[in-house]
Amino acid sequence: MKNMKKTNKIVSEMNQKGLIDDVEDIEDMLQGYKSEIYNNSPLIVTIPITMANDATQFLSDDVVKIAIKHIEEKVMEQGKNYLIRIQGRDIPAIEKINERVHFILSLSKESILIQLTLDMMNQLASLPNSILLNPRVHPVIEVYLQKEKETPVMMALQHAFSKLRTIADLQVMVVLIMDPSSLPDLTNIMMLLRQEHALCRYIMFNVERSPLKVANQLKKMIGQPTSETVNDKEEQAVVDILPILKHIQKCTHHDIQVNDFMPASAGAVLTPFFKLLDSGDYPMMCSPLCAYATILVNTKRFSSTPISRLFDMDTLYHKLVPIIARFEQTSKLSMWSYLQLKYILKKAIRPNVHIPDVLSYINSKHPKKQAVTAKTLGNMQFFVIHTKMDVACVDIERRAYCSFCEMTNRGLKSSCLKCV
């Protein structure tokens, strides 16, 4: 609410300066918002492969090349890696999508997320030259999950997993879209996703209010009568994340609890570990209001165990954040930084939890330890609850933190544009 008031204040100031007529989208509002976080390097960049107003008309090779070059110049000047996302769910030509992604792979060394519906992903997996055979391509399955329609979705996921499992070393992301006012029963779906930890590495719940709810909130904001079909008392300015976390806690029989989730901005503590693993330098900054996340650990001793049961994440975060900047300034960790990181990890281990020296495995050159590290990391699951921004809760400060961008004819723009 505080950030929304700040947004309204900025809009008011821009109106007084005669700038409001120039506002075409939320990006233009940022001209009136000065912050050092505005120029954050994006984590994920969506690249279009078809015309914006016609999904059957594919962009030419030259246009795609220009888009890639622009992104490289913008992102790489900050020395960061990023992920390319291809949104293909509305494009009715799976073979052409496959060809276009092959072309993009030849232009960029970055990994690619290909986002499709379940049916399209099954078709893609069946192609003899499927892009899914490339280790730099990671499929994103997107499904809408409605209350009392959970069983068909689960069966469809099981069918897709059986097909995708035949592709070696594939890492899948599942995006489940839910309405916060009518949450589905997640018991069986969560059980399935947690069992598929080797294949399904990333689970994201996109929480989106229905158009009726958004319209109702907008009417309240301008003092108009609201729809009789919507309970006014239930309507809030923003999506409340707590009931959703409690619902997940209930559906997992308290295996995953509310306190296991952290604001996604806590991902900043992963920076030094990416360095040690030589896995790239990815910007992990985002708004704490955007999402909440947890990591599920799967080893011989721990089965789908939230990482917060092994480490005191508050201690880890508050000890690491002050020294993160030092890690970002170097390509490798110094001996002093390594020892400091080792000390912090040791202090953050929960009482009565017995785990080996994590850094000795991550930094080891010994084949056996490297194999253990690879297996442990390969069986971790990243579980994210994302609350989508809509037109009734535009937050300019949250936008300034946004790590998701897309290439448009106006250059790189925040994916918050798609949220609203």
Side-chain angles (χ1 to χ4, degrees):
M1 186 64 71
K2 180 180 177 183
N3 290 339
M4 289 183 67
K5 289 180 179 177
K6 184 181 293 185
T7 300
N8 293 335
K9 180 181 178 183
I10 292 167
V11 173
S12 176
E13 291 174 353
M14 292 176 71
N15 189 28
Q16 292 173 9
K17 295 175 182 178
L19 298 175
I20 201 70
D21 291 336
D22 297 327
V23 175
E24 295 183 17
D25 55 47
I26 195 174
E27 291 293 318
D28 295 316
M29 292 173 65
L30 284 161
Q31 296 173 11
Y33 180 76
K34 302 302 180 183
S35 170
E36 63 182 11
I37 58 177
Y38 175 45
N39 289 318
N40 281 345
S41 183
L43 172 62
I44 295 177
V45 179
T46 300
I47 297 178
I49 57 175
T50 63
M51 301 289 288
N53 57 353
D54 188 353
T56 64
Q57 294 295 316
F58 285 81
L59 298 177
S60 68
D61 288 358
D62 288 340
V63 171
V64 174
K65 285 179 181 179
I66 291 171
I68 294 287
K69 183 180 179 181
H70 180 83
I71 295 167
E72 295 284 342
E73 290 175 351
K74 175 69 176 177
V75 179
M76 296 308 289
E77 69 183 14
Q78 300 183 36
K80 299 291 185 179
N81 294 101
Y82 65 99
L83 299 169
I84 295 173
R85 181 174 69 169
I86 305 297
Q87 180 59 270
R89 63 185 177 185
D90 298 320
I91 304 174
I94 197 65
E95 291 187 357
K96 187 63 176 178
I97 293 174
N98 191 63
E99 183 271 323
R100 289 286 80 192
V101 176
H102 272 304
F103 179 64
I104 293 172
L105 283 166
S106 70
L107 300 176
S108 174
K109 62 180 178 59
E110 304 297 339
S111 294
I112 295 178
L113 305 175
I114 175 70
Q115 192 159 343
L116 300 170
T117 62
L118 274 167
D119 289 341
M120 295 177 75
M121 195 64 73
N122 287 332
Q123 295 176 43
L124 182 61
S126 300
L127 295 178
N129 65 334
S130 174
I131 52 174
L132 299 181
L133 297 171
N134 190 307
R136 287 199 286 131
V137 176
H138 307 289
V140 181
I141 299 173
E142 187 176 59
V143 293
Y144 183 64
L145 189 55
Q146 291 179 279
K147 190 175 184 179
E148 299 180 354
K149 294 185 179 180
E150 301 90 346
T151 301
V153 171
M154 192 177 74
M155 292 176 66
L157 284 172
Q158 287 175 320
H159 177 69
F161 290 164
S162 65
K163 203 158 205 173
L164 294 172
R165 207 181 293 116
T166 61
I167 301 175
D169 302 321
L170 194 65
Q171 296 183 350
V172 179
M173 179 177 183
V174 176
V175 178
L176 298 168
I177 304 171
M178 305 187 301
D179 183 342
S181 65
S182 181
L183 292 173
D185 183 357
L186 303 174
T187 305
N188 292 329
I189 286 182
M190 281 299 299
M191 188 180 300
L192 169 66
L193 294 174
R194 293 168 68 195
Q195 287 173 348
E196 294 285 355
H197 53 79
L199 174 69
C200 184
R201 296 289 312 285
Y202 308 93
I203 305 166
M204 177 179 285
F205 285 103
N206 262 350
V207 183
E208 302 180 19
R209 295 194 288 191
S210 68
L212 184 61
K213 290 282 186 181
V214 175
N216 190 63
Q217 179 60 29
L218 286 172
K219 288 178 180 179
K220 285 179 62 179
M221 292 169 66
I222 60 176
Q224 289 187 2
T226 57
S227 170
E228 294 180 356
T229 60
V230 181
N231 188 343
D232 254 7
K233 294 181 180 179
E234 294 179 356
E235 212 57 45
Q236 296 182 356
V238 295
V239 175
D240 186 358
I241 193 73
L242 185 57
I244 299 159
L245 299 182
K246 287 182 175 179
H247 186 66
I248 291 169
Q249 176 175 278
K250 176 185 174 183
C251 292
T252 59
H253 307 292
H254 288 246
D255 283 352
I256 304 174
Q257 299 179 11
V258 171
N259 291 339
D260 292 320
F261 286 91
M262 304 159 284
S265 54
V269 301
L270 297 176
T271 301
F273 300 101
F274 281 128
K275 297 254 186 206
L276 283 172
L277 291 165
D278 199 22
S279 300
D281 188 4
Y282 292 93
M284 302 302 293
M285 180 172 287
C286 65
S287 168
L289 299 175
C290 238
Y292 278 73
T294 187
I295 299 174
L296 304 180
V297 179
N298 292 279
T299 64
K300 289 182 179 179
R301 295 177 56 196
F302 304 106
S303 177
S304 198
T305 303
I307 196 168
S308 56
R309 311 287 177 85
L310 309 181
F311 293 93
D312 182 336
M313 299 306 293
D314 286 342
T315 297
L316 199 60
Y317 181 79
H318 290 296
K319 294 287 187 183
L320 277 177
V321 165
I323 59 176
I324 289 294
R326 188 197 314 157
F327 294 145
E328 292 183 338
Q329 292 170 1
T330 60
S331 58
K332 298 290 183 180
L333 294 184
S334 67
M335 178 58 71
W336 167 246
S337 296
Y338 175 85
L339 293 174
Q340 194 173 15
L341 187 58
K342 183 176 180 179
Y343 174 80
I344 292 172
L345 281 173
K346 184 177 180 180
K347 287 294 182 182
I349 297 175
R350 295 281 188 188
N352 302 317
V353 173
H354 303 287
I355 55 178
D357 179 0
V358 176
L359 287 189
S360 71
Y361 278 79
I362 292 178
N363 205 42
S364 177
K365 302 300 181 185
H366 192 281
K368 188 174 181 180
K369 280 192 172 183
Q370 287 180 333
V372 171
T373 301
K375 185 175 181 180
T376 301
L377 293 174
N379 283 296
M380 282 183 173
Q381 279 185 310
F382 296 82
F383 186 20
V384 180
I385 314 297
H386 174 223
T387 58
K388 268 203 161 183
M389 190 191 303
D390 55 48
V391 292
C393 62
V394 175
D395 183 338
I396 199 168
E397 187 166 323
R398 175 174 165 178
R399 155 59 195 100
Y401 271 104
C402 188
S403 295
F404 290 63
C405 293
E406 59 184 76
M407 194 66 205
T408 72
N409 58 4
R410 301 177 65 197
L412 277 176
K413 301 298 179 184
S414 165
S415 290
C416 289
L417 291 171
K418 291 301 182 184
C419 289
V420 299

